């Protein structure tokens, strides 16, 4: 949630949802799961010696 100032300098009391800021943490979490899972799979393939999926 962010608040903006109006043109006369007073704080606007209507709270507006900052969508990118609100989505940043879940997006980073999903990226971590995706790339973490991908990295683990590649490491396992290397360790076991082949593409066995």
């Amino acid at each position: 949630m962010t608040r903006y100032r109006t043109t006369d300098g007073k704080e606007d009391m209507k709270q507006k949802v900052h969508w990118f800021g609100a989505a940043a943490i879940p997006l980073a979490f999903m990226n971590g799961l995706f790339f973490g899972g991908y990295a683990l799979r590649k490491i396992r393939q290397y360790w076991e010696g082949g593409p066995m999926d």
Side-chain angles (χ1 to χ4, degrees):
M1 299 286 231
T2 56
R3 289 189 179 160
Y4 297 97
R5 295 204 178 269
T6 57
T7 52
D8 58 359
K10 293 181 181 170
E11 195 174 5
D12 190 3
M13 295 311 289
K14 290 185 296 186
Q15 287 192 347
K16 298 175 181 134
V17 176
H18 196 276
W19 289 110
F20 185 74
I25 292 174
L27 189 63
F29 179 72
M30 294 302 288
N31 270 337
L33 286 179
F34 178 76
F35 288 117
Y38 182 77
L40 285 174
R41 183 168 159 259
K42 287 298 176 187
I43 290 167
R44 186 187 58 78
Q45 284 179 351
Y46 175 76
W47 186 265
E48 292 178 357
M52 293 175 269
D53 280 338

